[in-house]
Structures are given as C-alpha cells and as structure tokens.
Amino acid sequence: MFTLIKNRKIVPEVLFALRGRFPERIDVAVHDSEDGGYWIEIKNLQGCITQADTGIELFQMVNDAIYTYLDIPEEYTPFVPTYFPPEELRKNLNIKIPESFLQKDIVFQRT
C-alpha cells in the first residue's frame, strides 16, 4: 500500500488523477423515504445511493456519496469537483423538494 499524501501535503499528480475520476455530470433520482426524508439514486454510478432529510442536505449527501464511491481521500475533497443541480432547481429545493421533482430524473452538474 502506498501513501497518497507526503508530509500532509496534497500531491498534485494524485489530485490530477483523482479529478479525472469524476464524470462531467451525474443523473440522480430523488424518492420519498418511508421515514419522511428522501433517498437518492445516483444513476450513472451503479449502486451509489444516499439519503437526506431535507433538500439542502440532499446536496451534501450526494457529494459525500460520490466521494465515497470514487474512493476520494478526505484530504482531497476540498480540491475535487462538487455537484449541484442547475440554479433553477436549486431555488425550487429551498427547504423541501417539491412534488414535481420527485420520481423524476434530475441532472446534477459539476462545478
């Protein structure tokens, strides 16, 4: 096993390689959860799912699930892409995900 970080510094070559793992966009489906929150399927990363209690938490949990799925070391997460839905959808997801977005496919874009 090798160490990705030397002296707690980010290794540029490793960061470049990690950034290359990220797709340009991700397709997600948001579903109601039986416990009152949501469960989210990241459709173009097979088997990658997460859950969230609120629309705001949805963004955080989707990115956390992607970082885990792609095996991104925690030290590198501030330097790799973060996904957010388009601005119009972000406005609509202010607190609670509107019914019109449930059970439909949503595209998150890389920032």
Side-chain angles (χ1 to χ4, degrees), residues 5-103:
I5 299 178
K6 299 176 184 175
N7 300 326
R8 308 288 302 160
K9 293 182 181 178
I10 301 299
V11 177
E13 296 83 5
V14 173
L15 178 58
F16 183 75
L18 292 174
R19 289 179 65 91
R21 294 182 185 177
F22 287 81
E24 195 59 39
R25 66 181 226 170
I26 56 169
D27 299 314
V28 302
V30 180
H31 308 276
D32 279 320
S33 177
E34 292 178 10
D35 65 0
Y38 308 100
W39 70 274
I40 302 97
E41 172 188 13
I42 302 165
K43 298 177 79 171
N44 50 331
L45 298 176
Q46 185 177 9
C48 187
I49 60 171
T50 190
Q51 63 183 26
D53 291 325
T54 66
I56 301 297
E57 186 182 36
L58 183 144
F59 304 130
Q60 297 165 333
M61 297 308 294
V62 163
N63 282 288
D64 182 63
I66 292 168
Y67 299 156
T68 301
Y69 185 91
L70 297 176
D71 198 25
I72 305 299
E74 187 176 346
E75 295 85 357
Y76 284 86
T77 59
F79 307 102
V80 295
T82 302
Y83 292 92
F84 290 100
E87 184 176 348
E88 179 182 329
L89 181 56
R90 285 195 302 262
K91 290 178 185 176
N92 287 328
L93 296 177
N94 188 16
I95 296 174
K96 181 171 172 38
I97 297 176
E99 286 289 323
S100 62
F101 291 108
L102 293 175
Q103 311 304 329

